Amino acid sequence: MINISGYWLRPEDAEKLNVSGMQKEIADQMLAMPSSYSYSTVSELLFELSFRENTIESARALINSGARFATFSKTYGNEAYWRVSPEGALELRYRVSPSNAIKDIFERGSLYAFECATAIVIIFYMALIKTIGGQTFDQHYDRIILYDWHYEKLPIYTDKGNDYLPGDCLYFKNPEFDQERPQWRGENAIYLGHNQYAAHGLGILSAEAIIEKLNKLRKPNAQISAYLMSQVTRVDIPTIFQIIR
């Protein structure tokens, strides 16, 4: 369901939106969801649809960038833009354009390695750059540290449930992971739609294929399969819409 300032959007209303095919597909899924997606204006809804499409594009681009999966201790990046801290964080260098630094990850992926939660934040940053432009992004995100779920003024939240949409981040949990490879205790992935997920370190796969891969990374004699958790992580669009106005 979609609510705009107290008005429930009808399917015939959605048909009138000037959006791309992907955005129309997302809007139709939102209308069919039992959850309510509330906005103050139509512009706010359009911002979310654009952001979600850009998230999907950015997730695919990161998978194809050549950036590698690595644990925090083995993180690395292009030193022209980033300093690697002892903890394995990528810290934006002084007087470097934040948007150009994020774009560099996608353009020179072979110079980077990081773990999957960091990858999700990078994807969300890139989606925002695509949505609002590099100049506006630089004005609001002048200090960036890429480390796990660390983010600057990017309102990310997690809710329980299965009402997820293309552009959301989901989590595959591996409860009996191999203790010698704790990085595979689970996998964050961006849902691309049609049972396709962008999972940093694994690729673009179906849910079943991700679970199969995680099951091969369990401890000896493990009995419990990896599974997709009933939770959704996403960017709070109404909040970010107010931040960048």
Side-chain angles (χ1 to χ4, degrees):
M1 297 185 292
I2 300 175
N3 187 289
I4 300 177
S5 194
Y7 175 82
W8 294 102
L9 207 68
R10 301 167 300 177
E12 54 266 37
D13 298 323
E15 292 291 337
K16 300 174 184 177
L17 296 174
N18 184 21
V19 296
S20 68
M22 171 59 72
Q23 292 176 31
K24 175 63 166 55
E25 183 177 328
I26 295 170
D28 288 343
Q29 290 184 46
M30 294 169 80
L31 285 169
M33 287 288 188
S35 300
S36 174
Y37 298 88
S38 299
Y39 308 93
S40 299
T41 63
V42 173
S43 295
E44 207 170 84
L45 167 62
L46 295 177
F47 184 91
E48 169 140 4
L49 295 176
S50 178
F51 180 83
R52 285 185 175 277
E53 182 172 32
N54 288 330
T55 299
I56 294 165
E57 292 177 354
S58 299
R60 290 186 180 277
L62 187 64
I63 294 296
N64 295 320
S65 70
R68 299 175 63 86
F69 178 92
T71 58
F72 292 116
S73 63
K74 296 182 179 180
T75 293
Y76 58 83
N78 185 351
E79 294 184 1
Y81 290 97
W82 305 95
R83 170 187 173 272
V84 181
S85 76
E87 296 76 24
L90 291 172
E91 299 176 344
L92 187 68
R93 289 193 177 276
Y94 182 57
R95 289 187 175 177
V96 166
S97 163
S99 61
N100 287 343
I102 294 294
K103 290 176 184 177
D104 188 69
I105 300 172
F106 293 79
E107 295 167 358
R108 299 179 179 86
S110 61
L111 301 179
Y112 293 85
F114 38 79
E115 54 75 65
C116 66
T118 303
I120 299 299
V121 176
I122 290 170
I123 289 167
F124 284 153
Y125 275 140
M126 189 62 191
L128 187 57
I129 292 167
K130 286 175 173 285
T131 305
I132 67 175
Q135 184 175 358
T136 302
F137 182 88
D138 288 352
Q139 290 172 358
H140 293 277
Y141 296 88
D142 55 336
R143 295 183 66 244
I144 293 178
I145 297 174
L146 301 174
Y147 181 73
D148 199 18
W149 282 109
H150 187 282
Y151 40 86
E152 301 288 342
K153 295 186 291 185
L154 192 63
I156 296 174
Y157 69 98
T158 299
D159 271 345
K160 293 182 179 180
N162 296 308
D163 291 347
Y164 54 85
L165 298 164
D168 282 333
C169 173
L170 306 180
Y171 187 69
F172 292 83
K173 187 172 183 178
N174 194 12
E176 292 194 294
F177 63 91
D178 185 344
Q179 298 291 329
E180 294 184 1
R181 291 183 286 184
Q183 63 269 31
W184 297 113
R185 67 179 66 241
E187 178 74 14
N188 293 286
I190 295 292
Y191 179 53
L192 306 177
H194 306 287
N195 193 29
Q196 291 290 294
Y197 301 80
H200 181 59
L202 297 180
I204 296 176
L205 303 165
S206 67
E208 295 77 12
I210 292 175
I211 289 170
E212 182 180 351
K213 285 182 176 290
L214 290 176
N215 281 344
K216 293 178 181 178
L217 297 164
R218 291 180 295 173
K219 65 184 181 181
N221 303 313
Q223 300 297 314
I224 303 174
S225 172
Y227 63 94
L228 177 60
M229 290 188 68
S230 296
Q231 69 174 45
V232 182
T233 299
R234 54 173 58 124
V235 174
D236 183 350
I237 294 300
T239 296
I240 204 168
F241 188 73
Q242 294 300 316
I243 291 173
I244 57 85
R245 288 185 66 182

